[in-house]
PDB file of all heavy atoms in Angstrom:
ATOM      1  N   LYS A  22      -5.616  -5.968  -1.896  1.00  0.00           N
ATOM      2  CA  LYS A  22      -5.295  -6.430  -0.544  1.00  0.00           C
ATOM      3  C   LYS A  22      -3.843  -6.128  -0.212  1.00  0.00           C
ATOM      4  O   LYS A  22      -3.007  -5.928  -1.089  1.00  0.00           O
ATOM      5  CB  LYS A  22      -5.564  -7.928  -0.413  1.00  0.00           C
ATOM      6  CG  LYS A  22      -7.035  -8.304  -0.536  1.00  0.00           C
ATOM      7  CD  LYS A  22      -7.253  -9.764  -0.206  1.00  0.00           C
ATOM      8  CE  LYS A  22      -8.735 -10.120  -0.259  1.00  0.00           C
ATOM      9  NZ  LYS A  22      -8.971 -11.543   0.108  1.00  0.00           N
ATOM     10  N   GLU A  23      -3.560  -6.137   1.079  1.00  0.00           N
ATOM     11  CA  GLU A  23      -2.196  -5.915   1.512  1.00  0.00           C
ATOM     12  C   GLU A  23      -1.350  -7.174   1.286  1.00  0.00           C
ATOM     13  O   GLU A  23      -1.860  -8.291   1.238  1.00  0.00           O
ATOM     14  CB  GLU A  23      -2.173  -5.541   3.000  1.00  0.00           C
ATOM     15  CG  GLU A  23      -2.801  -4.196   3.308  1.00  0.00           C
ATOM     16  CD  GLU A  23      -2.620  -3.810   4.757  1.00  0.00           C
ATOM     17  OE1 GLU A  23      -2.114  -4.622   5.540  1.00  0.00           O
ATOM     18  OE2 GLU A  23      -2.979  -2.668   5.102  1.00  0.00           O
ATOM     19  N   ARG A  24      -0.066  -6.947   1.160  1.00  0.00           N
ATOM     20  CA  ARG A  24       0.843  -8.074   1.021  1.00  0.00           C
ATOM     21  C   ARG A  24       0.910  -8.818   2.357  1.00  0.00           C
ATOM     22  O   ARG A  24       1.032  -8.209   3.414  1.00  0.00           O
ATOM     23  CB  ARG A  24       2.232  -7.570   0.621  1.00  0.00           C
ATOM     24  CG  ARG A  24       3.187  -8.654   0.194  1.00  0.00           C
ATOM     25  CD  ARG A  24       4.448  -8.065  -0.424  1.00  0.00           C
ATOM     26  NE  ARG A  24       4.138  -7.313  -1.641  1.00  0.00           N
ATOM     27  CZ  ARG A  24       5.066  -6.814  -2.454  1.00  0.00           C
ATOM     28  NH1 ARG A  24       6.350  -7.005  -2.194  1.00  0.00           N
ATOM     29  NH2 ARG A  24       4.718  -6.136  -3.520  1.00  0.00           N
ATOM     30  N   GLU A  25       0.830 -10.149   2.287  1.00  0.00           N
ATOM     31  CA  GLU A  25       0.844 -10.958   3.492  1.00  0.00           C
ATOM     32  C   GLU A  25       1.867 -12.075   3.393  1.00  0.00           C
ATOM     33  O   GLU A  25       2.122 -12.606   2.308  1.00  0.00           O
ATOM     34  CB  GLU A  25      -0.545 -11.551   3.750  1.00  0.00           C
ATOM     35  CG  GLU A  25      -1.019 -12.514   2.692  1.00  0.00           C
ATOM     36  CD  GLU A  25      -2.296 -13.246   3.073  1.00  0.00           C
ATOM     37  OE1 GLU A  25      -2.707 -13.163   4.237  1.00  0.00           O
ATOM     38  OE2 GLU A  25      -2.870 -13.902   2.181  1.00  0.00           O
ATOM     39  N   GLY A  26       2.442 -12.428   4.520  1.00  0.00           N
ATOM     40  CA  GLY A  26       3.388 -13.530   4.553  1.00  0.00           C
ATOM     41  C   GLY A  26       2.677 -14.853   4.660  1.00  0.00           C
ATOM     42  O   GLY A  26       1.690 -14.974   5.393  1.00  0.00           O
ATOM     43  N   VAL A  27       3.166 -15.857   3.931  1.00  0.00           N
ATOM     44  CA  VAL A  27       2.542 -17.177   3.986  1.00  0.00           C
ATOM     45  C   VAL A  27       3.478 -18.247   4.541  1.00  0.00           C
ATOM     46  O   VAL A  27       3.025 -19.198   5.172  1.00  0.00           O
ATOM     47  CB  VAL A  27       2.005 -17.620   2.611  1.00  0.00           C
ATOM     48  CG1 VAL A  27       0.884 -16.706   2.149  1.00  0.00           C
ATOM     49  CG2 VAL A  27       3.120 -17.653   1.570  1.00  0.00           C
ATOM     50  N   SER A  28       4.787 -18.102   4.348  1.00  0.00           N
ATOM     51  CA  SER A  28       5.701 -19.110   4.842  1.00  0.00           C
ATOM     52  C   SER A  28       7.126 -18.574   4.822  1.00  0.00           C
ATOM     53  O   SER A  28       7.430 -17.642   4.077  1.00  0.00           O
ATOM     54  CB  SER A  28       5.621 -20.378   3.984  1.00  0.00           C
ATOM     55  OG  SER A  28       6.431 -21.407   4.515  1.00  0.00           O
ATOM     56  N   CYS A  29       7.965 -19.156   5.666  1.00  0.00           N
ATOM     57  CA  CYS A  29       9.374 -18.766   5.639  1.00  0.00           C
ATOM     58  C   CYS A  29      10.234 -19.942   6.088  1.00  0.00           C
ATOM     59  O   CYS A  29       9.742 -20.889   6.711  1.00  0.00           O
ATOM     60  CB  CYS A  29       9.648 -17.541   6.506  1.00  0.00           C
ATOM     61  SG  CYS A  29       9.247 -17.748   8.247  1.00  0.00           S
ATOM     62  N   ILE A  30      11.515 -19.833   5.755  1.00  0.00           N
ATOM     63  CA  ILE A  30      12.474 -20.871   6.123  1.00  0.00           C
ATOM     64  C   ILE A  30      13.801 -20.217   6.453  1.00  0.00           C
ATOM     65  O   ILE A  30      14.175 -19.199   5.849  1.00  0.00           O
ATOM     66  CB  ILE A  30      12.619 -21.910   4.983  1.00  0.00           C
ATOM     67  CG1 ILE A  30      13.425 -23.125   5.448  1.00  0.00           C
ATOM     68  CG2 ILE A  30      13.240 -21.288   3.737  1.00  0.00           C
ATOM     69  CD1 ILE A  30      13.306 -24.314   4.485  1.00  0.00           C
ATOM     70  N   TYR A  31      14.504 -20.784   7.424  1.00  0.00           N
ATOM     71  CA  TYR A  31      15.785 -20.244   7.827  1.00  0.00           C
ATOM     72  C   TYR A  31      16.886 -21.075   7.184  1.00  0.00           C
ATOM     73  O   TYR A  31      16.838 -22.308   7.214  1.00  0.00           O
ATOM     74  CB  TYR A  31      15.913 -20.270   9.346  1.00  0.00           C
ATOM     75  CG  TYR A  31      17.151 -19.605   9.882  1.00  0.00           C
ATOM     76  CD1 TYR A  31      17.468 -18.290   9.519  1.00  0.00           C
ATOM     77  CD2 TYR A  31      18.008 -20.276  10.742  1.00  0.00           C
ATOM     78  CE1 TYR A  31      18.607 -17.681  10.016  1.00  0.00           C
ATOM     79  CE2 TYR A  31      19.142 -19.661  11.247  1.00  0.00           C
ATOM     80  CZ  TYR A  31      19.435 -18.361  10.867  1.00  0.00           C
ATOM     81  OH  TYR A  31      20.554 -17.745  11.357  1.00  0.00           O
ATOM     82  N   SER A  32      17.861 -20.370   6.608  1.00  0.00           N
ATOM     83  CA  SER A  32      18.839 -21.044   5.755  1.00  0.00           C
ATOM     84  C   SER A  32      19.711 -22.036   6.510  1.00  0.00           C
ATOM     85  O   SER A  32      20.096 -23.069   5.968  1.00  0.00           O
ATOM     86  CB  SER A  32      19.724 -20.016   5.059  1.00  0.00           C
ATOM     87  OG  SER A  32      20.474 -19.268   6.016  1.00  0.00           O
ATOM     88  N   ARG A  33      20.057 -21.732   7.753  1.00  0.00           N
ATOM     89  CA  ARG A  33      21.028 -22.566   8.449  1.00  0.00           C
ATOM     90  C   ARG A  33      20.457 -23.902   8.876  1.00  0.00           C
ATOM     91  O   ARG A  33      21.024 -24.952   8.592  1.00  0.00           O
ATOM     92  CB  ARG A  33      21.588 -21.847   9.671  1.00  0.00           C
ATOM     93  CG  ARG A  33      22.701 -22.629  10.387  1.00  0.00           C
ATOM     94  CD  ARG A  33      23.173 -21.928  11.613  1.00  0.00           C
ATOM     95  NE  ARG A  33      22.128 -21.832  12.630  1.00  0.00           N
ATOM     96  CZ  ARG A  33      22.282 -21.255  13.812  1.00  0.00           C
ATOM     97  NH1 ARG A  33      23.438 -20.695  14.124  1.00  0.00           N
ATOM     98  NH2 ARG A  33      21.309 -21.216  14.673  1.00  0.00           N
ATOM     99  N   ASP A  34      19.299 -23.891   9.538  1.00  0.00           N
ATOM    100  CA  ASP A  34      18.797 -25.144  10.105  1.00  0.00           C
ATOM    101  C   ASP A  34      17.474 -25.597   9.505  1.00  0.00           C
ATOM    102  O   ASP A  34      16.933 -26.617   9.915  1.00  0.00           O
ATOM    103  CB  ASP A  34      18.658 -25.037  11.623  1.00  0.00           C
ATOM    104  CG  ASP A  34      17.649 -23.978  12.048  1.00  0.00           C
ATOM    105  OD1 ASP A  34      16.973 -23.395  11.182  1.00  0.00           O
ATOM    106  OD2 ASP A  34      17.537 -23.726  13.263  1.00  0.00           O
ATOM    107  N   GLY A  35      16.949 -24.853   8.548  1.00  0.00           N
ATOM    108  CA  GLY A  35      15.716 -25.255   7.890  1.00  0.00           C
ATOM    109  C   GLY A  35      14.462 -25.044   8.708  1.00  0.00           C
ATOM    110  O   GLY A  35      13.406 -25.578   8.351  1.00  0.00           O
ATOM    111  N   SER A  36      14.531 -24.288   9.793  1.00  0.00           N
ATOM    112  CA  SER A  36      13.331 -23.995  10.566  1.00  0.00           C
ATOM    113  C   SER A  36      12.306 -23.320   9.676  1.00  0.00           C
ATOM    114  O   SER A  36      12.652 -22.479   8.837  1.00  0.00           O
ATOM    115  CB  SER A  36      13.667 -23.077  11.741  1.00  0.00           C
ATOM    116  OG  SER A  36      14.556 -23.695  12.626  1.00  0.00           O
ATOM    117  N   THR A  37      11.051 -23.697   9.862  1.00  0.00           N
ATOM    118  CA  THR A  37      10.005 -23.188   8.985  1.00  0.00           C
ATOM    119  C   THR A  37       8.856 -22.576   9.781  1.00  0.00           C
ATOM    120  O   THR A  37       8.699 -22.826  10.985  1.00  0.00           O
ATOM    121  CB  THR A  37       9.443 -24.296   8.084  1.00  0.00           C
ATOM    122  OG1 THR A  37       8.891 -25.330   8.919  1.00  0.00           O
ATOM    123  CG2 THR A  37      10.511 -24.879   7.187  1.00  0.00           C
ATOM    124  N   TYR A  38       8.070 -21.807   9.076  1.00  0.00           N
ATOM    125  CA  TYR A  38       6.859 -21.220   9.633  1.00  0.00           C
ATOM    126  C   TYR A  38       5.823 -21.154   8.525  1.00  0.00           C
ATOM    127  O   TYR A  38       6.158 -20.910   7.358  1.00  0.00           O
ATOM    128  CB  TYR A  38       7.139 -19.811  10.168  1.00  0.00           C
ATOM    129  CG  TYR A  38       5.871 -19.028  10.463  1.00  0.00           C
ATOM    130  CD1 TYR A  38       5.181 -19.232  11.640  1.00  0.00           C
ATOM    131  CD2 TYR A  38       5.369 -18.131   9.533  1.00  0.00           C
ATOM    132  CE1 TYR A  38       4.004 -18.539  11.894  1.00  0.00           C
ATOM    133  CE2 TYR A  38       4.200 -17.432   9.778  1.00  0.00           C
ATOM    134  CZ  TYR A  38       3.524 -17.648  10.959  1.00  0.00           C
ATOM    135  OH  TYR A  38       2.374 -16.963  11.206  1.00  0.00           O
ATOM    136  N   TYR A  39       4.561 -21.390   8.901  1.00  0.00           N
ATOM    137  CA  TYR A  39       3.455 -21.301   7.945  1.00  0.00           C
ATOM    138  C   TYR A  39       2.331 -20.470   8.539  1.00  0.00           C
ATOM    139  O   TYR A  39       1.981 -20.629   9.716  1.00  0.00           O
ATOM    140  CB  TYR A  39       2.916 -22.690   7.613  1.00  0.00           C
ATOM    141  CG  TYR A  39       3.922 -23.598   6.962  1.00  0.00           C
ATOM    142  CD1 TYR A  39       4.688 -24.483   7.714  1.00  0.00           C
ATOM    143  CD2 TYR A  39       4.099 -23.593   5.580  1.00  0.00           C
ATOM    144  CE1 TYR A  39       5.620 -25.319   7.122  1.00  0.00           C
ATOM    145  CE2 TYR A  39       5.022 -24.434   4.966  1.00  0.00           C
ATOM    146  CZ  TYR A  39       5.775 -25.284   5.755  1.00  0.00           C
ATOM    147  OH  TYR A  39       6.694 -26.115   5.159  1.00  0.00           O
ATOM    148  N   ALA A  40       1.753 -19.626   7.710  1.00  0.00           N
ATOM    149  CA  ALA A  40       0.539 -18.948   8.125  1.00  0.00           C
ATOM    150  C   ALA A  40      -0.588 -19.966   8.222  1.00  0.00           C
ATOM    151  O   ALA A  40      -0.575 -20.996   7.536  1.00  0.00           O
ATOM    152  CB  ALA A  40       0.183 -17.858   7.117  1.00  0.00           C
ATOM    153  N   ASP A  41      -1.561 -19.680   9.064  1.00  0.00           N
ATOM    154  CA  ASP A  41      -2.666 -20.618   9.251  1.00  0.00           C
ATOM    155  C   ASP A  41      -3.399 -20.918   7.948  1.00  0.00           C
ATOM    156  O   ASP A  41      -3.910 -22.028   7.752  1.00  0.00           O
ATOM    157  CB  ASP A  41      -3.659 -20.043  10.270  1.00  0.00           C
ATOM    158  CG  ASP A  41      -3.113 -20.075  11.687  1.00  0.00           C
ATOM    159  OD1 ASP A  41      -2.129 -20.799  11.937  1.00  0.00           O
ATOM    160  OD2 ASP A  41      -3.666 -19.365  12.546  1.00  0.00           O
ATOM    161  N   SER A  42      -3.450 -19.944   7.059  1.00  0.00           N
ATOM    162  CA  SER A  42      -4.195 -20.102   5.807  1.00  0.00           C
ATOM    163  C   SER A  42      -3.597 -21.161   4.890  1.00  0.00           C
ATOM    164  O   SER A  42      -4.287 -21.670   3.996  1.00  0.00           O
ATOM    165  CB  SER A  42      -4.279 -18.765   5.072  1.00  0.00           C
ATOM    166  OG  SER A  42      -2.984 -18.271   4.809  1.00  0.00           O
ATOM    167  N   VAL A  43      -2.329 -21.500   5.078  1.00  0.00           N
ATOM    168  CA  VAL A  43      -1.677 -22.466   4.181  1.00  0.00           C
ATOM    169  C   VAL A  43      -1.156 -23.691   4.923  1.00  0.00           C
ATOM    170  O   VAL A  43      -0.725 -24.659   4.288  1.00  0.00           O
ATOM    171  CB  VAL A  43      -0.533 -21.813   3.392  1.00  0.00           C
ATOM    172  CG1 VAL A  43      -1.032 -20.561   2.676  1.00  0.00           C
ATOM    173  CG2 VAL A  43       0.656 -21.486   4.278  1.00  0.00           C
ATOM    174  N   LYS A  44      -1.203 -23.674   6.234  1.00  0.00           N
ATOM    175  CA  LYS A  44      -0.664 -24.774   7.030  1.00  0.00           C
ATOM    176  C   LYS A  44      -1.374 -26.076   6.686  1.00  0.00           C
ATOM    177  O   LYS A  44      -2.594 -26.132   6.581  1.00  0.00           O
ATOM    178  CB  LYS A  44      -0.816 -24.449   8.514  1.00  0.00           C
ATOM    179  CG  LYS A  44      -0.008 -25.301   9.444  1.00  0.00           C
ATOM    180  CD  LYS A  44      -0.156 -24.820  10.877  1.00  0.00           C
ATOM    181  CE  LYS A  44       0.345 -23.413  11.067  1.00  0.00           C
ATOM    182  NZ  LYS A  44       0.225 -22.951  12.470  1.00  0.00           N
ATOM    183  N   GLY A  45      -0.598 -27.109   6.485  1.00  0.00           N
ATOM    184  CA  GLY A  45      -1.156 -28.410   6.134  1.00  0.00           C
ATOM    185  C   GLY A  45      -1.352 -28.612   4.643  1.00  0.00           C
ATOM    186  O   GLY A  45      -1.560 -29.746   4.185  1.00  0.00           O
ATOM    187  N   ARG A  46      -1.317 -27.545   3.870  1.00  0.00           N
ATOM    188  CA  ARG A  46      -1.482 -27.644   2.417  1.00  0.00           C
ATOM    189  C   ARG A  46      -0.168 -27.416   1.685  1.00  0.00           C
ATOM    190  O   ARG A  46       0.059 -27.991   0.612  1.00  0.00           O
ATOM    191  CB  ARG A  46      -2.513 -26.632   1.922  1.00  0.00           C
ATOM    192  CG  ARG A  46      -3.903 -26.792   2.495  1.00  0.00           C
ATOM    193  CD  ARG A  46      -4.901 -25.897   1.759  1.00  0.00           C
ATOM    194  NE  ARG A  46      -4.629 -24.478   1.956  1.00  0.00           N
ATOM    195  CZ  ARG A  46      -4.571 -23.584   0.980  1.00  0.00           C
ATOM    196  NH1 ARG A  46      -4.747 -23.972  -0.277  1.00  0.00           N
ATOM    197  NH2 ARG A  46      -4.343 -22.301   1.243  1.00  0.00           N
ATOM    198  N   TRP A  47       0.670 -26.566   2.231  1.00  0.00           N
ATOM    199  CA  TRP A  47       1.884 -26.159   1.534  1.00  0.00           C
ATOM    200  C   TRP A  47       3.119 -26.558   2.326  1.00  0.00           C
ATOM    201  O   TRP A  47       3.083 -26.684   3.546  1.00  0.00           O
ATOM    202  CB  TRP A  47       1.874 -24.650   1.321  1.00  0.00           C
ATOM    203  CG  TRP A  47       0.743 -24.175   0.451  1.00  0.00           C
ATOM    204  CD1 TRP A  47      -0.272 -24.921  -0.085  1.00  0.00           C
ATOM    205  CD2 TRP A  47       0.510 -22.840   0.047  1.00  0.00           C
ATOM    206  NE1 TRP A  47      -1.114 -24.124  -0.804  1.00  0.00           N
ATOM    207  CE2 TRP A  47      -0.661 -22.849  -0.755  1.00  0.00           C
ATOM    208  CE3 TRP A  47       1.171 -21.634   0.246  1.00  0.00           C
ATOM    209  CZ2 TRP A  47      -1.175 -21.696  -1.333  1.00  0.00           C
ATOM    210  CZ3 TRP A  47       0.665 -20.491  -0.319  1.00  0.00           C
ATOM    211  CH2 TRP A  47      -0.495 -20.519  -1.106  1.00  0.00           C
ATOM    212  N   THR A  48       4.230 -26.690   1.563  1.00  0.00           N
ATOM    213  CA  THR A  48       5.495 -27.048   2.184  1.00  0.00           C
ATOM    214  C   THR A  48       6.604 -26.183   1.615  1.00  0.00           C
ATOM    215  O   THR A  48       6.739 -26.075   0.384  1.00  0.00           O
ATOM    216  CB  THR A  48       5.835 -28.529   1.930  1.00  0.00           C
ATOM    217  OG1 THR A  48       4.778 -29.350   2.420  1.00  0.00           O
ATOM    218  CG2 THR A  48       7.133 -28.906   2.636  1.00  0.00           C
ATOM    219  N   ILE A  49       7.377 -25.578   2.501  1.00  0.00           N
ATOM    220  CA  ILE A  49       8.536 -24.807   2.085  1.00  0.00           C
ATOM    221  C   ILE A  49       9.781 -25.652   2.317  1.00  0.00           C
ATOM    222  O   ILE A  49       9.865 -26.397   3.293  1.00  0.00           O
ATOM    223  CB  ILE A  49       8.619 -23.461   2.849  1.00  0.00           C
ATOM    224  CG1 ILE A  49       9.659 -22.542   2.234  1.00  0.00           C
ATOM    225  CG2 ILE A  49       8.884 -23.682   4.329  1.00  0.00           C
ATOM    226  CD1 ILE A  49       9.622 -21.114   2.786  1.00  0.00           C
ATOM    227  N   SER A  50      10.727 -25.564   1.398  1.00  0.00           N
ATOM    228  CA  SER A  50      11.971 -26.324   1.529  1.00  0.00           C
ATOM    229  C   SER A  50      13.103 -25.539   0.885  1.00  0.00           C
ATOM    230  O   SER A  50      12.865 -24.546   0.197  1.00  0.00           O
ATOM    231  CB  SER A  50      11.828 -27.699   0.871  1.00  0.00           C
ATOM    232  OG  SER A  50      11.560 -27.575  -0.518  1.00  0.00           O
ATOM    233  N   ARG A  51      14.305 -26.021   1.119  1.00  0.00           N
ATOM    234  CA  ARG A  51      15.466 -25.312   0.567  1.00  0.00           C
ATOM    235  C   ARG A  51      16.471 -26.289   0.025  1.00  0.00           C
ATOM    236  O   ARG A  51      16.563 -27.433   0.483  1.00  0.00           O
ATOM    237  CB  ARG A  51      16.126 -24.448   1.646  1.00  0.00           C
ATOM    238  CG  ARG A  51      16.982 -25.236   2.632  1.00  0.00           C
ATOM    239  CD  ARG A  51      17.247 -24.482   3.885  1.00  0.00           C
ATOM    240  NE  ARG A  51      18.313 -25.024   4.708  1.00  0.00           N
ATOM    241  CZ  ARG A  51      18.241 -26.125   5.429  1.00  0.00           C
ATOM    242  NH1 ARG A  51      17.151 -26.852   5.415  1.00  0.00           N
ATOM    243  NH2 ARG A  51      19.260 -26.503   6.174  1.00  0.00           N
ATOM    244  N   ASP A  52      17.224 -25.843  -0.938  1.00  0.00           N
ATOM    245  CA  ASP A  52      18.373 -26.583  -1.453  1.00  0.00           C
ATOM    246  C   ASP A  52      19.539 -25.611  -1.372  1.00  0.00           C
ATOM    247  O   ASP A  52      19.714 -24.766  -2.264  1.00  0.00           O
ATOM    248  CB  ASP A  52      18.121 -27.053  -2.884  1.00  0.00           C
ATOM    249  CG  ASP A  52      19.242 -27.917  -3.419  1.00  0.00           C
ATOM    250  OD1 ASP A  52      20.391 -27.777  -2.948  1.00  0.00           O
ATOM    251  OD2 ASP A  52      18.980 -28.728  -4.319  1.00  0.00           O
ATOM    252  N   ASN A  53      20.303 -25.706  -0.306  1.00  0.00           N
ATOM    253  CA  ASN A  53      21.384 -24.741  -0.100  1.00  0.00           C
ATOM    254  C   ASN A  53      22.448 -24.825  -1.184  1.00  0.00           C
ATOM    255  O   ASN A  53      23.086 -23.819  -1.519  1.00  0.00           O
ATOM    256  CB  ASN A  53      21.999 -24.931   1.283  1.00  0.00           C
ATOM    257  CG  ASN A  53      21.122 -24.383   2.389  1.00  0.00           C
ATOM    258  OD1 ASN A  53      20.157 -23.656   2.145  1.00  0.00           O
ATOM    259  ND2 ASN A  53      21.435 -24.740   3.624  1.00  0.00           N
ATOM    260  N   ALA A  54      22.645 -26.005  -1.738  1.00  0.00           N
ATOM    261  CA  ALA A  54      23.651 -26.147  -2.796  1.00  0.00           C
ATOM    262  C   ALA A  54      23.262 -25.358  -4.037  1.00  0.00           C
ATOM    263  O   ALA A  54      24.132 -24.878  -4.779  1.00  0.00           O
ATOM    264  CB  ALA A  54      23.830 -27.620  -3.142  1.00  0.00           C
ATOM    265  N   LYS A  55      21.960 -25.238  -4.261  1.00  0.00           N
ATOM    266  CA  LYS A  55      21.468 -24.502  -5.436  1.00  0.00           C
ATOM    267  C   LYS A  55      21.020 -23.091  -5.066  1.00  0.00           C
ATOM    268  O   LYS A  55      20.538 -22.355  -5.932  1.00  0.00           O
ATOM    269  CB  LYS A  55      20.299 -25.248  -6.072  1.00  0.00           C
ATOM    270  CG  LYS A  55      20.677 -26.593  -6.656  1.00  0.00           C
ATOM    271  CD  LYS A  55      19.463 -27.252  -7.324  1.00  0.00           C
ATOM    272  CE  LYS A  55      19.834 -28.583  -7.944  1.00  0.00           C
ATOM    273  NZ  LYS A  55      18.671 -29.244  -8.593  1.00  0.00           N
ATOM    274  N   ASN A  56      21.146 -22.727  -3.787  1.00  0.00           N
ATOM    275  CA  ASN A  56      20.669 -21.419  -3.325  1.00  0.00           C
ATOM    276  C   ASN A  56      19.231 -21.166  -3.763  1.00  0.00           C
ATOM    277  O   ASN A  56      18.888 -20.073  -4.249  1.00  0.00           O
ATOM    278  CB  ASN A  56      21.579 -20.300  -3.843  1.00  0.00           C
ATOM    279  CG  ASN A  56      22.935 -20.299  -3.161  1.00  0.00           C
ATOM    280  OD1 ASN A  56      23.067 -20.730  -2.013  1.00  0.00           O
ATOM    281  ND2 ASN A  56      23.951 -19.836  -3.862  1.00  0.00           N
ATOM    282  N   THR A  57      18.409 -22.171  -3.593  1.00  0.00           N
ATOM    283  CA  THR A  57      17.026 -22.089  -4.054  1.00  0.00           C
ATOM    284  C   THR A  57      16.079 -22.533  -2.943  1.00  0.00           C
ATOM    285  O   THR A  57      16.358 -23.502  -2.237  1.00  0.00           O
ATOM    286  CB  THR A  57      16.814 -22.953  -5.299  1.00  0.00           C
ATOM    287  OG1 THR A  57      17.685 -22.492  -6.342  1.00  0.00           O
ATOM    288  CG2 THR A  57      15.371 -22.857  -5.789  1.00  0.00           C
TER     289      THR A  57
END
């Protein structure tokens, strides 16, 4: 299969996006202090 995007987050304000296939099941988050 082709590579597909499932989620993303913006470093400055934490804005997020989820593909429909994972929405409601998965959560993306960031720790800017750990660059993770």
